[in-house]
């Protein structure tokens, strides 16, 4: 009986071994294609859950850059990925062409170099990358201090052409720590043109490697034209690598001012005026301003160090109001993009604490746009700045309550200086105004943006973007002042 049991057990074990040895393992096919997406370079079988064995292919007259997961070569393939299905990978080949472009960092924040950049409006030596003298590669480097919250990209000019942003970073991590974030960008854009946001302050060395022969253009973008094509220049092979060199010198001694920016109140333009600016008193920032019901808006920042100012990276939105602050939320509502919308006509008071990033809102619906008298004031037509209270220089409201004031015709000569003076009753006697007090003088910073419907291009600021309005040529003009937006518009006659 014992012998019979042993024989049966041996037979079963033998059968299991035979079946096991004859069973085929589950494998997947990995196909390596040329960059044309059609030509097969090599095919291998890889066991389920194993990694494929990658190699460096060769192609006459070309350099191999990397393996990609799609024929468009938009996304690099993770060579450490475990294979669980049939997989195609595509070789990225490129021919060497010398890059004659000059790249610079463009952005803003609280680090000295980016403050002076002011979102790329200025490109000086301190912003420019250094190109290495290498006959076989286009390698640019730049070492600088950056501060947490700074945002930047690399581009070739102040128009941000050929920009190289977040999507070109090889990695955002080092030693298990994330040093950068994707800050996105305005409009419909890919991650390649998104801003790089600094998550860790310190000194960095950036290396940009370019392959200009492989540059392509996003021609399917709705804003693409042949004239602005360089704004949509992109490349599947260009890369940005970086090294963290340790702590930098820190942020500059900067002053941050906050401003309102909205659909009607500023036409979504950055308007740095007394009317739109928060007032800082002991770290408490406050803005009192009339807003129309339904006007959509947000708050931006301006960072100033010495004589240099730059649009900041800090924004204040509906999300800065605490969810339990029912009083504030009773005056404004939020949009999908977290902007704010005024619920009623009124004079709004906004208070912001940069330390807690909390915004509070109050509103006096009994007050809206204050009634002022407006006069064109300056040195024109022999007036010598003496136009206040003279009816011929007063801008008249087109309709009661419209807030639109017009002076139908004024003759100016090249070099004339002027602005709009607002005034209120200072005192009254027997019901008659005996004096008026000046409120504010609106200078060049109050001019509406130059457009087809105005002649504001005929004027400049005495001190660049500020100071008295200066006529650059003579002519006859209709002058309009919008009391809600505080914008001055000249129309040639």
């Amino acid at each position: 009986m014992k012998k019979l049991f042993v024989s049966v057990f041996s037979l079963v074990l033998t059968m299991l071994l035979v079946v096991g040895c004859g069973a085929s393992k589950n494998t997947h096919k990995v196909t390596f294609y040329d960059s044309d997406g059609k030509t097969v370079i090599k095919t291998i079988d890889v066991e389920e859950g194993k990694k494929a064995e990658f190699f460096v292919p060769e192609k006459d007259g070309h350099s191999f850059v990397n393996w990609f997961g799609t024929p468009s070569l938009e996304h690099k393939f993770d060579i450490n990925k475990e294979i669980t299905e049939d997989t195609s990978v595509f070789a990225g080949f490129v021919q060497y062409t010398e890059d004659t472009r000059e790249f610079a960092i463009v952005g803003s924040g609280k680090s000295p170099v980016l403050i002076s950049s002011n979102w790329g409006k200025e490109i000086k030596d301190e912003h420019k990358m250094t190109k290495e003298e290498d006959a076989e590669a286009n390698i640019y480097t730049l070492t600088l201090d950056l501060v947490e919250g700074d945002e930047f990209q690399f581009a070739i000019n102040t128009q941000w052409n050929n920009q190289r942003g977040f999507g070109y970073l090889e990695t955002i991590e080092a030693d298990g720590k994330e040093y950068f974030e994707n800050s996105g960008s305005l409009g419909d854009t890919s991650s390649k043109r998104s801003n790089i946001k600094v998550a860790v302050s310190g000194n960095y060395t950036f290396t940009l490697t370019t392959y200009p022969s492989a540059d392509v253009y996003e021609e399917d973008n709705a804003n693409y034209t042949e004239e602005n094509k360089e704004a949509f220049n992109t490349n599947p092979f260009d890369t940005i690598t970086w090294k963290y060199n340790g702590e930098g010198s820190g942020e500059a001694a900067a002053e941050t001012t906050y401003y309102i920016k909205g659909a009607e109140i500023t036409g979504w333009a950055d308007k740095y005026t007394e009317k739109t600016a928060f007032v800082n008193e002991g770290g408490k920032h406050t803005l009192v301003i009339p807003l129309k019901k339904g006007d959509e808006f947000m708050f931006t920042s301006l960072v100033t160090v010495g004589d240099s100012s730059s649009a900041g990276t800090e924004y204040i939105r509906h999300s800065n109001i605490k969810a339990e602050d029912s009083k504030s939320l009773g005056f404004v509502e939020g949009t999908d993009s977290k902007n704010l919308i005024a619920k009623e006509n009124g004079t709004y008071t906004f208070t912001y604490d940069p330390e807690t990033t909390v915004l509070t809102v109050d509103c006096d619906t009994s007050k809206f746009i204050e009634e002022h008298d407006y006069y064109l004031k300056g040195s024109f037509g022999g007036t010598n700045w003496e136009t206040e209270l003279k009816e011929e220089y007063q801008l008249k409201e087109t309709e009661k309550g419209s807030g639109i004031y017009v002076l139908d015709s004024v003759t100016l000569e090249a070099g004339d200086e002027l602005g709009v003076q607002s005034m209120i009753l200072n005192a009254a006697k027997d019901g008659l105004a005996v004096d008026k007090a000046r409120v504010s003088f609106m200078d060049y910073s109050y001019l509406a943006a130059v457009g087809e419907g105005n002649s504001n291009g005929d004027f400049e600021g005495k001190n660049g973007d500020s100071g008295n309005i200066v006529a650059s040529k003579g002519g006859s003009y209709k002058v309009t002042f919008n009391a809600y937006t505080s914008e001055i518009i000249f129309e040639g006659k």
Side-chain angles (χ1 to χ4, degrees):
M1 192 72 180
K2 184 177 180 181
K3 290 182 179 180
L4 177 61
F5 174 77
V6 171
S7 298
V8 172
F9 176 77
S10 299
L11 178 61
V12 171
L13 180 61
T14 301
M15 291 174 67
L16 288 173
L17 289 173
V18 170
V19 171
C21 292
S24 60
K25 296 180 179 180
N26 189 21
T27 62
H28 301 287
K29 182 180 292 185
V30 177
T31 305
F32 298 87
Y33 288 94
D34 198 345
S35 53
D36 61 7
K38 299 176 181 179
T39 305
V40 177
I41 300 174
K42 185 178 181 179
T43 300
I44 61 173
D45 291 323
V46 180
E47 290 185 27
E48 169 84 20
K50 298 291 184 180
K51 298 176 184 178
E53 185 176 336
F54 282 80
F55 58 99
V56 177
E58 295 183 355
K59 186 175 182 179
D60 288 343
H62 293 74
S63 297
F64 174 73
V65 179
N66 217 317
W67 290 106
F68 293 82
T70 59
S72 64
L73 309 180
E74 281 291 320
H75 305 288
K76 291 176 183 175
F77 188 85
D78 181 6
I79 62 175
N80 294 312
K81 178 182 178 181
E82 294 179 354
I83 303 301
T84 58
E85 60 183 352
D86 287 352
T87 304
S88 298
V89 291
F90 305 86
F93 286 109
V94 64
Q95 289 181 303
Y96 173 76
T97 300
E98 182 181 1
D99 198 334
T100 59
R101 296 171 295 188
E102 187 175 59
F103 282 90
I105 192 168
V106 291
S108 185
K110 294 186 177 180
S111 58
V113 170
L114 289 183
I115 288 175
S116 63
S117 169
N118 192 14
W119 293 111
K121 291 180 181 178
E122 294 282 346
I123 293 182
K124 304 176 182 177
D125 288 344
E126 64 192 40
H127 306 119
K128 296 177 181 177
M129 306 188 83
T130 300
K131 190 172 187 289
E132 295 184 3
E133 295 183 4
D134 191 324
E136 297 182 356
N138 297 297
I139 300 173
Y140 300 81
T141 61
L142 177 66
T143 299
L144 75 163
D145 290 342
L146 292 173
V147 175
E148 180 182 353
D150 285 353
E151 295 185 23
F152 66 95
Q153 296 192 37
F154 298 101
I156 65 170
N157 54 29
T158 58
Q159 286 74 47
W160 289 49
N161 286 343
N162 299 177
Q163 65 193 88
R164 300 295 184 254
F166 183 85
Y168 291 93
L169 285 171
E170 285 280 81
T171 182
I172 62 173
E173 297 182 0
D175 303 321
K177 186 176 184 179
E178 291 190 354
Y179 285 75
F180 301 102
E181 302 171 2
N182 183 350
S183 180
S185 186
L186 294 177
D188 180 20
T189 184
S190 67
S191 68
K192 286 184 176 293
R193 296 206 309 278
S194 292
N195 291 336
I196 302 169
K197 186 173 183 178
V198 179
V200 179
S201 299
N203 183 268
Y204 291 85
T205 297
F206 292 94
T207 301
L208 169 65
T209 304
T210 65
Y211 303 90
S213 64
D215 280 1
V216 293
Y217 296 89
E218 297 179 354
E219 297 183 20
D220 57 345
N221 190 291
N223 297 313
Y224 175 91
T225 66
E226 279 299 307
E227 289 72 26
N228 71 358
K229 62 186 294 185
E230 294 305 326
F232 300 94
N233 173 289
T234 186
N235 190 294
F237 304 134
D238 288 0
T239 60
I240 299 172
T241 58
W242 54 273
K243 177 185 176 184
Y244 180 72
N245 302 316
E247 293 184 3
S249 58
E251 65 183 77
E255 178 183 354
T256 301
T257 308
Y258 303 95
Y259 293 85
I260 192 169
K261 176 179 181 176
E264 288 191 66
I265 193 68
T266 71
W268 288 121
D270 291 310
K271 291 283 187 179
Y272 303 127
T273 66
E274 289 183 6
K275 177 177 179 175
T276 60
F278 280 69
V279 176
N280 180 9
E281 293 184 357
K284 180 181 178 182
H285 297 255
T286 304
L287 171 66
V288 179
I289 190 169
L291 290 175
K292 286 182 180 180
K293 179 181 179 179
D295 200 356
E296 181 179 346
F297 59 97
M298 59 178 290
F299 304 101
T300 62
S301 56
L302 184 75
V303 179
T304 302
V305 176
D307 296 330
S308 299
S309 294
S310 173
T313 60
E314 187 178 358
Y315 302 94
I316 308 168
R317 304 178 187 273
H318 189 266
S319 53
N320 290 93
I321 302 174
K322 286 188 173 181
E324 61 270 23
D325 185 359
S326 57
K327 179 181 178 182
S328 294
L329 294 173
F331 297 122
V332 293
E333 57 184 317
T335 67
D336 291 341
S337 58
K338 295 182 172 49
N339 288 337
L340 301 102
I341 296 178
K343 288 187 176 181
E344 299 291 342
N345 285 352
T347 297
Y348 285 74
T349 299
F350 299 97
T351 304
Y352 179 65
D353 183 348
E355 293 295 323
T356 62
T357 68
V358 172
L359 175 71
T360 59
V361 187
D362 200 354
C363 179
D364 185 348
T365 55
S366 67
K367 295 180 180 179
F368 190 37
I369 302 174
E370 292 186 21
E371 291 189 13
H372 292 164
D373 288 337
Y374 298 94
Y375 295 87
L376 200 64
K377 179 178 178 180
S379 60
F380 56 90
T383 60
N384 195 28
W385 298 94
E386 297 176 351
T387 58
E388 296 171 354
L389 307 183
K390 294 183 179 180
E391 188 174 357
E392 62 266 35
Y393 300 111
Q394 184 177 1
L395 285 73
K396 301 294 181 65
E397 193 171 20
T398 57
E399 183 180 340
K400 183 66 175 177
S402 69
I404 305 298
Y405 295 81
V406 172
L407 178 60
D408 189 62
S409 182
V410 61
T411 300
L412 301 174
E413 296 181 2
D416 283 349
E417 297 184 23
L418 63 153
V420 173
Q421 179 71 57
S422 63
M423 304 190 72
I424 59 173
L425 290 176
N426 188 36
K429 185 176 181 181
D430 298 328
L432 298 175
V434 296
D435 195 9
K436 291 192 177 183
R438 300 183 185 94
V439 179
S440 59
F441 180 75
M442 274 69 78
D443 61 10
Y444 180 80
S445 62
Y446 288 80
L447 249 66
V450 175
E452 293 182 3
N454 64 50
S455 303
N456 287 359
D458 293 351
F459 300 86
E460 56 189 19
K462 187 173 183 179
N463 301 308
D465 291 333
S466 63
N468 297 334
I469 300 168
V470 180
S472 56
K473 65 178 184 178
S476 180
Y477 296 90
K478 173 184 175 182
V479 186
T480 301
F481 179 72
N482 185 325
Y484 179 64
T485 63
S486 291
E487 286 185 325
I488 302 169
I489 297 172
F490 289 91
E491 298 175 74
K493 300 192 70 174

